[in-house]
Amino acid sequence: MPDPDELLTSKDVIKLKRCIYSLQRSHLPPVVTHNMVDDASDPILNQLRTVQLFNHRSDRVKVIFHPEFLSSTNPQIGRA
């Protein structure tokens, strides 16, 4: 009998768990990754609502919005 560690790597196990959990979900997946203080005034979320991108199973496009608040310490901005 093969050792279970030889059959699946830790990455494979994580992927498998994610697939199983996603099948168990009874509601739509979230569009935004963080709870926002005032999401009603966020222009990106308002536009997603306007065009009705809610991640329905039938939607051809799925959205994951990761709000990144820019600051001087953000490594994506770089230093001038």
Side-chain angles (χ1 to χ4, degrees):
M1 193 80 158
D3 183 23
D5 293 333
E6 295 173 5
L7 295 175
L8 297 171
T9 66
S10 60
K11 288 182 181 181
D12 292 331
V13 172
I14 290 171
K15 287 180 184 178
L16 195 61
K17 285 181 180 181
R18 286 181 180 166
C19 289
I20 291 169
Y21 290 139
S22 69
L23 291 173
Q24 294 174 348
R25 182 178 290 156
S26 63
H27 57 279
L28 297 174
V31 173
V32 65
T33 60
H34 296 77
N35 290 333
M36 298 178 67
V37 175
D38 189 16
D39 70 342
S41 67
D42 185 79
I44 294 173
L45 288 177
N46 284 331
Q47 186 62 31
L48 291 173
R49 290 180 190 112
T50 300
V51 297
Q52 299 181 358
L53 286 174
F54 298 120
N55 291 342
H56 288 285
R57 186 176 296 271
S58 61
D59 290 342
R60 293 180 69 190
V61 174
K62 307 295 192 250
V63 177
I64 300 174
F65 172 49
H66 179 80
E68 182 69 34
F69 304 101
L70 301 179
S71 69
S72 60
T73 59
N74 187 327
Q76 293 178 344
I77 294 178
R79 299 180 187 246

